[in-house]
Amino acid sequence: MKRMLTGLQPTGEITLGNYIGAIRQMVEYQEKYDSFIFVADMHAITIEQDPAELKKNIRNLLAIYLACGIDKDKNTIFLQSENVYHANLSWMLECLTPYGELTRMTQFKDKSQKHKSFSSGLLTYPVLMASDILIYDTDLVPVGQDQKQHVELARNIADRVNKKYNKELFTMPDALIGTNSKKIMDLIDPTHKMSKSSENKNGVIFLLDSDEDIRKKIMRATTDSDMSIKFDPDNKPGISNLINIYSALSNLSVSEVEEKFKDSNYGTFKASVAELVIDTLRPIKEKYEMYQNSSKIDEILDNGLNVTSKIAREKYELLKQTMGLTR
Ligand code: ATP
Ligand code: MG
C-alpha cells in the first residue's frame, strides 16, 4: 500500500475551501493509502502566532479532522512539533540545499513581499516540508497547485542526497493532485480564493459558522447583473463559484447543476446553495463539539507520536550516520 502524507496549518478557523479542497480528499484517500495526517504547527510559526491562539487552533483542527470523517483507525494522526526528528532531519537537509534554490520559491517571494519583516523560517520552510515528506519514505503528497513547487523541491533534495552518498536514502515522492478538487473563491471577492486568513470574514464560510451566518453570507455573495445560472468563471466568477460549491457538495456535475437551476433566479439558487452548505456542515458541527471536549484527541496524538517517532528516528539516524555525525 502506498504511503500518503498530508497536513494543514493550524493558522485559523477551517473554511469551506479547506474542506472541499483538502479535508474531503483526505477522507477519500484514507481508504486507499497508508495515510499519515498531521497538524503542521511548526509551519504555522513561520508567520508570527499568538501562543494561546495557536494552542487553541491545534486542538480545534484535530477536532475538525475527526468531525469531518478522518478515522483514527485508518490514519496515523500526529502533531508535527511533538516528533523532534522532523526538525533535526530538516537541519541536515538545509545544509545540503543551496540557498538560491529556496529564494526562488514562489511562496517565499509572495509572502516575503507581503510582510515588512519576516523570519528565516519563511525561507527554509520548504526544507522542513521536504523533511516531513522524506522522513517517512512517503510516496504521495496531496497538494493544491500552490504547493506543487515544494514537492518538486523535496524530489530534488531526495535525488541530490541519494546521488551524493550513492545510496537509496530517500524514496522519491509524487504530488497527488485531485482530479475533482475545486478551488473555492471568496464570496465577496470571487476573483480571490477563500482563505482562513482573509481580512473580510463575510467572504469566508467557516465550518463552525452558525446556520444564520451561512445563510447571510451566501445570500449576500457578490454576483453579476446578468440573470442566468451559467458556469463562466471569467465573466461570472460569483455565480460560477456558487455552482462549484453546489456541485462539490451534491456530487452533481457542473452542467447538472446548471440544468437543475436553469429556471431559477439568483435568490432561489443562493437559498438552495445555503441550505446544502448548512445540511453538509450540520453533522460536522455536532461531532466537532463531541470531539473537542473528549480525551480522544490526546489518545490519538499519543499513538501518532509513538508510531511516527519510531519510523522518523530510523531515517534520521541513517542520514546522521551517512553524513559522519557520529562518534
Ligand atoms: P492561509 O490563509 O493561512 O494560507 P488557507 O485557507 O489558504 O490558509 P492552508 O492551510 O494554506 O489554508 O491550506 C490547507 C489546504 O486547503 C491546502 O491543501 C490548500 O490547497 C487547501 N485550500 C485552501 N484554500 C482553498 C480554497 N479556497 N479552495 C480549495 N482548496 C483550498
Ligand atoms: Mg494558504
Side-chain angles (χ1 to χ4, degrees):
M1 200 183 241
K2 287 195 170 178
R3 181 166 291 162
M4 185 212 83
L5 174 116
T6 186
L8 264 71
Q9 299 187 47
T11 42
E13 282 185 59
I14 302 305
T15 72
L16 186 66
N18 299 142
Y19 176 70
I20 292 176
I23 300 178
R24 251 178 19 145
Q25 267 77 279
M26 296 181 188
V27 175
E28 196 184 309
Y29 294 149
Q30 70 185 1
E31 307 297 336
K32 282 198 259 183
Y33 304 120
D34 173 21
S35 161
F36 281 45
I37 293 181
F38 68 107
V39 174
D41 56 343
M42 305 251 281
H43 286 287
I45 58 168
T46 53
I47 304 287
E48 196 177 338
Q49 300 291 333
D50 173 67
E53 196 64 21
L54 180 59
K55 186 177 153 96
K56 196 182 82 197
N57 285 336
I58 289 171
R59 229 182 154 80
N60 291 355
L61 178 53
L62 284 156
I64 288 275
Y65 279 159
L66 299 174
C68 289
I70 289 175
D71 183 335
K72 70 169 178 51
D73 296 323
K74 293 180 180 163
N75 302 275
T76 302
I77 303 170
F78 66 104
L79 180 58
Q80 186 187 26
S81 64
E82 288 190 334
N83 186 331
V84 295
Y85 299 109
H86 286 235
N88 274 302
L89 181 73
S90 179
W91 175 253
M92 293 189 274
L93 297 180
E94 265 181 48
C95 295
L96 295 164
T97 304
Y99 174 73
E101 228 167 82
L102 300 183
T103 51
R104 275 201 299 275
M105 293 289 121
T106 313
Q107 179 178 284
F108 172 70
K109 287 195 223 158
D110 287 354
K111 289 204 174 171
S112 60
Q113 270 162 17
K114 256 195 235 159
H115 300 266
K116 236 196 233 113
S117 84
F118 52 86
S119 73
S120 326
L122 195 64
L123 175 70
T124 56
Y125 164 115
V127 186
L128 179 59
M129 180 167 157
S131 171
D132 300 334
I133 297 168
L134 301 177
I135 207 163
Y136 299 112
D137 282 325
T138 303
D139 299 297
L140 296 168
V141 188
V143 283
Q145 288 294 342
D146 53 327
Q147 289 290 328
K148 226 178 126 190
Q149 199 184 28
H150 292 163
V151 178
E152 205 50 49
L153 179 82
R155 290 172 59 86
N156 289 344
I157 293 177
D159 186 48
R160 189 169 44 235
V161 178
N162 285 349
K163 285 198 176 114
K164 183 178 173 74
Y165 296 106
N166 200 17
K167 266 201 229 185
E168 272 299 306
L169 291 161
F170 299 118
T171 298
M172 276 298 210
D174 280 308
L176 180 63
I177 303 201
T179 42
N180 61 356
S181 94
K182 292 176 192 284
K183 186 168 165 192
I184 304 305
M185 310 307 276
D186 189 277
L187 298 175
I188 301 293
D189 176 3
T191 61
H192 281 91
K193 88 169 185 80
M194 189 181 278
S195 271
K196 290 191 212 100
S197 54
S198 290
E199 298 271 297
N200 189 346
K201 306 291 179 209
N202 290 327
V204 182
I205 293 181
F206 297 101
L207 298 195
L208 303 177
D209 273 347
S210 69
D211 295 357
E212 214 29 61
D213 281 347
I214 295 172
R215 238 174 244 125
K216 256 191 235 153
K217 287 177 182 180
I218 293 180
M219 295 312 286
R220 287 179 195 162
T222 304
T223 47
D224 48 65
S225 53
D226 181 35
M227 298 296 279
S228 59
I229 295 162
K230 278 262 158 2
F231 189 76
D232 179 355
D234 289 335
N235 301 309
K236 297 164 70 67
I239 282 294
S240 303
N241 188 38
L242 295 175
I243 292 178
N244 258 337
I245 293 174
Y246 197 94
S247 160
L249 300 182
S250 64
N251 289 320
L252 293 177
S253 68
V254 163
S255 51
E256 284 165 340
V257 178
E258 286 175 333
E259 176 62 25
K260 183 175 165 87
F261 293 100
K262 68 178 190 307
D263 299 321
S264 305
N265 60 31
Y266 283 2
T268 327
F269 175 53
K270 282 176 163 179
S272 300
V273 177
E275 290 319 304
L276 181 57
V277 172
I278 289 168
D279 286 345
T280 306
L281 299 188
R282 184 176 301 120
I284 295 178
K285 282 193 273 191
E286 284 167 9
K287 286 194 202 123
Y288 174 82
E289 294 298 328
M290 188 181 85
Y291 285 121
Q292 216 218 8
N293 299 316
S294 84
S295 58
K296 252 216 169 87
I297 287 182
D298 298 295
E299 284 166 32
I300 289 170
L301 289 184
D302 287 347
N303 176 62
L305 174 61
N306 199 9
V307 173
T308 60
S309 54
K310 280 195 194 104
I311 307 173
R313 178 163 194 237
E314 248 174 64
K315 191 61 85 184
Y316 160 75
E317 286 291 344
L318 179 63
L319 186 62
K320 195 159 120 22
Q321 301 288 334
T322 304
M323 290 181 79
L325 293 163
T326 179
R327 54 180 148 149

